[in-house]
Amino acid sequence: MLIAFILQAIGLMSLSLSMDKHFKAIFNQPLNATIALTFKTIGWLLMMISLLLVVQMGVIFLLYWMALLSFGIIFIAISYCVINEIT
Amino acid sequence: MEWDIAVNLRVTASFLGVSFGMKPDFRKCMIWLHTYSGLILGWLLYAIFVSGTLSYFNPEISQWMKPELNRGSHSSELVNQSIEYLQTHASDAERWRIYMPNERTQHWKVQWNTGRERHSQTLNIQDGSMIEVRDTKGGDFFRTFHYTLQLRGYGGRYIAGAAAMLMLVAVFSGIFTHRRFFRDFFTLRWNKFSKLLTDSHAIAGVITLPFCIMICTSALMIYITMYIPWGAEHYYKGGQRELNKYTIPALPKLDKNSEIAKKQIDFSVLQQKINQVWLGSDQIDTITIERPNREIGRIIVSRVKQQTLSNQAERLVFSSVTGQALPGYPNNSAVVNVRRVFYGLHEAQFAGTAMRWMFFILGAAASALIASGLFIWLNKRLNKTKKQHLGHLIVGRLNLTGILGLLLAILAYFQANRWLPIDIENRASVEIEVFFWAWLATLVHSLLRPIDKAWLEQLLAGAMLCFSLPIIDFSQDPSRLLGSFGQTNMIYLTFNVVIIVVGFIFLNIALKVRHRTNSVSGNALC
């Protein structure tokens, strides 16, 4: 179960990095199309894999997955907020 | 303002124009729909969501509000002790019911019915003696309030159902209204108040989207025959009642005048049988014994709901004389099962502690979503105009009463639980009256004071209520808190910690509000 949620978190992270605004905040340089595409593919792929893992485990875990998805999004939003504050 | 009305009228016209084949501006319609469905029912929805969110911890809140309850290790003797108690006090009752204590309730209760009268008695987990628990609704108040609005019999459930439907409307139209949220995904800017408002509204909307849809849909499903009664009325003479009779599985009725039994089965025999079917410890939630001491008597054992998404617990039926397994409840039809699963999802009885907190936080986020939406409405309009008019005044006041005032009223309810004398009559309903009077008081206060001052004062009052609650609890009976340390009663401790954290949040916001009013003259806080 832990693996599934770590995959989900990394997936969300790389999805956020495929967006210009957030890429700039981390790497301090504009994002080009190929890198964006790479991040996007990796992100969606990891999310899919983690979803598949969770579905196999049972319904309750699917609920956990949905809930943790929400927490992942808010966590990443707050961390970008903090990063922008520092730099 | 006239301009505003003109725009609204035009948008309304274009909204209606959909059916006439005109080409409406779809997004404008959606914005209009989102704005006004949100504004009209915002405060009601907020109250429903806050009290509903608290209901996730209903047994825990009840446990805190009934400090007389004792904690203890549950032995397997509890059932036999209960039966012994019932045998001496209620041997001629028509039905006995035993509520087994669990980690969350810590409440061991026996109940018996003779004729139409129902009696119940709480027992001490440690030694089986009787204890008098203070008369309070506990967390059940929030649970009933969030779907009846304390208006049961006056259409409260219809209002709540309409609110749930409009919440769904607001959620879906919100997707079109805040279409920038895809571009601003993972973005939160807290330098500017208005930016923070819209960002947090969008983020709260995104993260609670599945939660809100699930909660509102399942809420409608619970009373589906009430909200869509026409099918039942068409096919059954008695309407919903008769439909329920057909769809809710029941056991055959027992003959009232059956012979008196010479002896009853010892429950430990049944316990062994149950343990073989339901694996795991402490699987029994309630035990119902119908027609005790009669030849025909039967025992219905229902399981805890941690193993199932449905809100219908698994049940086993035995004869109370021979101990033989009787044919159980007939199976539900698929349709009934679907409703039961929606019901179960709504109540989340299956959730363990971690999952429960997740639901709680999502519920709080959904409440924040509604509250921030109400702020945005006012903030946007006040930024555009210099002159306030009556509508702004009313919304500003209702924002304060609806959003902060409700929380103060809840705290007043908790305070009343500790302050009111134990032996007054109708204590439980007096507690609820305190809740509503406190809420009214915040409304009056918000009308009498300038809006900034009112916010500041109510926030400070809230912080004071929060901080004083554990202190009062401790000064009334130090053994409660000390005892919960000794027994590591996490529920009692967590309640106090959460209250103190909420107090600090109030204080923090109060400081921010004061800072704003000092730096910006005039209406700083919408």
Side-chain angles (χ1 to χ4, degrees):
Chain A
M1 189 170 108
L2 197 63
I3 297 170
F5 294 130
I6 291 170
L7 286 182
Q8 188 199 39
I10 300 172
L12 272 180
M13 204 95 79
S14 51
L15 275 181
S16 77
L17 281 176
S18 73
M19 292 164 75
D20 196 29
K21 203 185 295 176
H22 303 308
F23 189 83
K24 249 188 218 158
I26 300 264
F27 296 104
N28 231 345
Q29 59 184 31
L31 177 69
N32 68 39
T34 33
I35 298 177
L37 192 68
T38 330
F39 271 124
K40 216 171 241 178
T41 348
I42 294 174
W44 282 114
L45 212 68
L46 289 178
M47 298 280 274
M48 281 298 153
I49 294 169
S50 102
L51 185 61
L52 277 178
L53 282 177
V54 160
V55 165
Q56 282 173 351
M57 283 189 280
V59 193
I60 296 269
F61 292 98
L62 193 63
L63 268 176
Y64 269 106
W65 194 85
M66 297 291 278
L68 278 170
L69 186 66
S70 306
F71 286 99
I73 292 170
I74 194 103
F75 177 74
I76 289 174
I78 289 173
S79 35
Y80 277 120
C81 193
V82 173
I83 288 168
N84 284 329
E85 201 94 317
I86 294 166
T87 50
Chain B
M1 196 54 218
E2 275 124 34
W3 179 83
D4 208 23
I5 292 171
V7 169
N8 280 342
L9 279 178
R10 214 173 59 218
V11 175
T12 322
S14 63
F15 184 62
L16 295 172
V18 182
S19 52
F20 299 120
M22 287 152 62
K23 195 175 169 236
D25 187 335
F26 179 70
R27 184 156 178 263
K28 262 192 186 148
C29 296
M30 284 296 133
I31 292 177
W32 180 86
L33 194 59
H34 185 70
T35 311
Y36 287 95
S37 64
L39 180 70
I40 290 169
L41 279 163
W43 301 290
L44 179 67
L45 276 171
Y46 176 81
I48 293 174
F49 266 80
V50 168
S51 50
T53 304
L54 284 176
S55 316
Y56 280 129
F57 288 112
N58 177 356
E60 284 84 354
I61 292 173
S62 300
Q63 193 193 329
W64 185 86
M65 293 180 84
K66 296 169 183 167
E68 291 85 0
L69 295 178
N70 258 30
R71 272 175 68 86
S73 50
H74 323 143
S75 67
S76 54
E77 284 303 296
L78 285 188
V79 180
N80 279 334
Q81 278 179 359
S82 326
I83 291 175
E84 231 168 77
Y85 177 90
L86 287 164
Q87 200 65 269
T88 44
H89 290 86
S91 58
D92 56 343
E94 284 155 25
R95 202 187 67 183
W96 296 344
R97 182 167 281 175
I98 305 162
Y99 293 90
M100 300 294 283
N102 58 40
E103 194 56 31
R104 295 178 62 204
T105 60
Q106 298 292 341
H107 201 167
W108 176 25
K109 196 169 80 172
V110 291
Q111 195 181 65
W112 63 95
N113 293 26
T114 38
R116 287 187 164 260
E117 268 181 84
R118 180 187 285 175
H119 313 267
S120 65
Q121 177 66 51
T122 303
L123 299 174
N124 189 336
I125 298 177
Q126 277 156 6
D127 54 9
S129 59
M130 288 185 265
I131 39 177
E132 281 306 316
V133 178
R134 65 182 62 193
D135 181 20
T136 175
K137 278 266 186 246
D140 274 340
F141 166 64
F142 300 118
R143 187 190 136 95
T144 25
F145 177 76
H146 100 274
Y147 68 90
T148 64
L149 311 168
Q150 210 64 19
L151 290 170
R152 204 179 188 125
Y154 301 96
R157 283 181 292 174
Y158 287 103
I159 300 172
M165 245 173 270
L166 271 173
M167 180 76 188
L168 280 176
V169 169
V171 164
F172 282 114
S173 56
I175 295 171
F176 299 102
T177 309
H178 302 276
R179 60 175 173 189
R180 276 175 57 89
F181 73 73
F182 276 120
R183 221 179 325 144
D184 288 344
F185 220 78
F186 306 116
T187 309
L188 196 64
R189 292 159 291 192
W190 55 31
N191 313 329
K192 230 182 126 202
F193 184 59
S194 59
K195 282 267 167 60
L196 176 66
L197 268 182
T198 32
D199 282 350
S200 56
H201 188 65
I203 276 204
V206 168
I207 66 164
T208 59
L209 194 68
F211 175 77
C212 283
I213 293 172
M214 182 276 280
I215 279 295
C216 296
T217 321
S218 56
L220 291 172
M221 289 294 281
I222 292 172
Y223 285 119
I224 192 76
T225 51
M226 254 181 80
Y227 299 141
I228 312 176
W230 303 287
E233 275 165 13
H234 186 259
Y235 287 105
Y236 298 101
K237 267 200 188 127
Q240 297 164 43
R241 268 168 213 278
E242 207 169 319
L243 175 71
N244 286 346
K245 218 161 60 188
Y246 282 110
T247 50
I248 296 173
L251 294 174
K253 277 221 159 127
L254 292 181
D255 180 20
K256 270 187 187 167
N257 310 312
S258 96
E259 279 173 47
I260 291 182
K262 291 193 181 63
K263 81 184 249 293
Q264 298 226 76
I265 186 83
D266 183 36
F267 193 78
S268 35
V269 182
L270 293 183
Q271 184 75 56
Q272 283 171 2
K273 285 189 188 174
I274 292 164
N275 286 347
Q276 285 167 2
V277 191
W278 295 342
L279 304 175
S281 58
D282 292 336
Q283 291 293 308
I284 299 174
D285 186 45
T286 56
I287 301 168
T288 311
I289 304 173
E290 292 180 321
R291 305 274 156 208
N293 295 325
R294 304 267 178 175
E295 277 294 343
I296 202 171
R298 68 181 164 213
I299 302 181
I300 304 159
V301 185
S302 48
R303 194 179 191 184
V304 288
K305 287 181 195 154
Q306 272 134 19
Q307 319 286 343
T308 167
L309 275 185
S310 165
N311 100 316
Q312 176 73 70
E314 286 175 64
R315 290 170 296 192
L316 293 176
V317 186
F318 300 98
S319 156
S320 70
V321 178
T322 58
Q324 267 177 337
L326 298 176
Y329 284 85
N331 283 338
N332 279 330
S333 70
V335 181
V336 173
N337 271 336
V338 167
R339 176 178 166 269
R340 285 284 178 191
V341 167
F342 270 107
Y343 206 148
L345 268 176
H346 193 91
E347 288 187 319
Q349 299 282 6
F350 56 83
T353 315
M355 181 72 122
R356 192 162 291 277
W357 274 104
M358 280 187 195
F359 272 120
F360 181 83
I361 292 170
L362 283 175
S367 315
L369 165 75
I370 299 163
S372 59
L374 287 166
F375 281 132
I376 289 172
W377 189 90
L378 193 57
N379 204 31
K380 267 200 176 152
R381 276 155 191 79
L382 286 187
N383 284 348
K384 266 189 215 148
T385 54
K386 286 270 176 304
K387 239 175 87 186
Q388 288 213 23
H389 83 356
L390 189 66
H392 299 150
L393 213 71
I394 294 172
V395 173
R397 263 40 180 192
L398 282 178
N399 271 355
L400 174 54
T401 334
I403 294 167
L404 186 57
L406 175 75
L407 301 179
L408 293 192
I410 290 169
L411 287 167
Y413 176 67
F414 289 151
Q415 292 271 354
N417 178 263
R418 290 297 193 252
W419 281 111
L420 288 175
I422 302 286
D423 49 359
I424 54 173
E425 239 175 273
N426 290 332
R427 193 173 180 284
S429 48
V430 175
E431 274 181 5
I432 292 168
E433 272 167 33
V434 169
F435 172 86
F436 285 108
W437 283 112
W439 206 358
L440 188 67
T442 62
L443 176 66
V444 173
H445 174 258
S446 75
L447 290 173
L448 292 178
R449 299 285 292 164
I451 193 80
D452 293 332
K453 291 262 165 57
W455 269 97
L456 191 61
E457 284 161 8
Q458 293 204 10
L459 280 164
L460 289 177
M464 218 173 63
L465 285 172
C466 282
F467 293 136
S468 60
L469 201 55
I471 297 171
I472 289 161
D473 185 41
F474 186 74
S475 65
Q476 280 185 346
D477 188 356
S479 67
R480 288 176 201 152
L481 195 64
L482 297 178
S484 65
F485 271 114
Q487 296 167 324
T488 56
N489 182 349
M490 287 313 290
I491 289 164
Y492 211 88
L493 295 177
T494 313
F495 186 95
N496 285 321
V497 170
V498 169
I499 285 286
I500 291 171
V501 168
V502 171
F504 275 112
I505 292 172
F506 280 155
L507 212 57
N508 193 7
I509 301 174
L511 289 179
K512 286 222 171 78
V513 170
R514 208 183 60 175
H515 185 69
R516 275 178 67 84
T517 31
N518 285 349
S519 57
V520 192
S521 59
N523 46 67
L525 230 166
C526 25

